[in-house]
Amino acid sequence: MADLERPLSPHLQIYRWHLTMALSILHRATGLVLAAGLLLLTWWLTALARGPEAFALVRAAIDNPLGGFVLFAFTLAVFYHMANGVRHLVWDLGIGLGKEEAYRSGLLVLGFAAVATVLLWIAILAFGGGSR
Amino acid sequence: MIASGRTGIGRIKAGGSARSGAEHWWRQRLTAIANLPLVVWFVVSAVSLSGADYEEVRAWLGGLFNGTMMVLLVVSLFWHARLGIQVVLEDYVHDRALGLAARIGLDLLTVALAVSCLLAILVVSLGS
């Protein structure tokens, strides 16, 4: 049966990309990225328990341009996934499911993620960076 | 009965799901809601700790409040991540044997990492 040339419903590559479907797959992508981030959280916590030498190793891995970029990407992913997660929870209540509303909330989520990430790194550079 | 995610009419009209039904959906939302305040706490804490040395970070996590919050964060995040990855596997891994193996690996890895985190928090909390 599976070999028959049956008509299929249009799949992803048939559709023109639009904002809401890009945000949808981005939610999943950032979720996977953040799940990988749990490895870093685990490394950080176990190093803290193990001692100063182990902790210094984690710090060395983070405290360089590449590590900084990874952390920056994680914060962007956190804020996006968090805001879009709230968007999903609001949808679960049956609110904001219309086309225009979904586009508006999508733009709001993107704006929040960008602004929150920039503000967070300003705070880190202003309050934390100096005492290293 | 809200926690079961099933309506009265759903229970009357049919025996219900043959498997876990709405349980996965419900727990994903529950951990999502829990993650909100926990992640905000963690991000704010991380900013305040960004210039701290080893002893300062250890003292911070050694506090009862922060230790409690970190345990809750670890449990909620790992649970949420496990549920999310499970859906991704169900969507993209079509080979049944491979999917089963991935599910087993995911569950074992999640528990191993989460327990590592929890024990690390305990060690820091007890100050040993």
Side-chain angles (χ1 to χ4, degrees), chain B residues 65-109:
Chain B
F65 176 77
N66 290 328
T68 304
M69 289 296 276
M70 191 61 88
V71 168
L72 294 174
L73 179 83
V74 164
V75 171
S76 192
L77 280 185
F78 273 97
W79 201 344
H80 190 76
R82 181 216 165 275
L83 293 173
I85 295 173
Q86 180 193 333
V87 175
V88 174
L89 290 175
E90 286 167 355
D91 282 354
Y92 301 133
V93 180
H94 300 305
D95 185 270
R96 284 196 71 175
L98 191 63
L100 186 63
R103 264 296 287 280
I104 293 169
L106 174 65
D107 279 1
L108 296 182
L109 185 67

Side-chain angles (χ1 to χ4, degrees), chain A residues 23-33 80-81, chain B residues 84 87-88 91-92:
Chain A
L23 295 184
S24 174
I25 195 64
L26 193 59
H27 191 71
R28 181 165 276 195
T30 50
L32 289 177
V33 165
Y80 174 77
H81 197 86
Chain B
V87 175
V88 174
D91 282 354
Y92 301 133

Side-chain angles (χ1 to χ4, degrees), chain B residues 37-53:
Chain B
L38 293 169
V39 169
V40 168
W41 162 82
F42 181 69
V43 168
V44 170
S45 300
V47 172
S48 72
L49 286 171
S50 60
D53 62 21

Side-chain angles (χ1 to χ4, degrees), chain A residues 25 28 31-32 35 38-39 41-52 55-56 59 78-79 81-82 85-86 88-89 92 120 123-125 127-129 131-132, chain B residues 25 29 32-33 36 39-40 42-43 47 49-54 57-58 60-61 70 73-74 77-78 80-81 85 87-88 91-92 113 116-117 120-121 123-124 128:
Chain A
I25 195 64
R28 181 165 276 195
L32 289 177
L38 290 179
L39 294 172
L41 179 69
T42 305
W43 190 27
W44 184 69
L45 282 174
T46 51
L48 189 64
R50 217 173 290 131
F55 196 69
R59 170 140 295 172
V78 163
F79 284 126
H81 197 86
M82 178 188 280
V86 171
H88 269 282
L89 289 173
D92 289 339
L120 182 83
I124 289 175
L125 296 176
F127 304 125
S131 50
R132 266 181 204 157
Chain B
W25 186 93
R29 268 70 187 170
I33 293 166
L36 271 175
V39 169
V40 168
F42 181 69
V43 168
V47 172
L49 286 171
S50 60
D53 62 21
Y54 175 77
V57 177
R58 215 177 144 118
W60 168 82
L61 186 61
M70 191 61 88
L73 179 83
V74 164
L77 280 185
F78 273 97
H80 190 76
I85 295 173
V87 175
V88 174
D91 282 354
Y92 301 133
L113 289 176
S116 301
C117 286
I121 298 165
V123 165
V124 172
S128 56

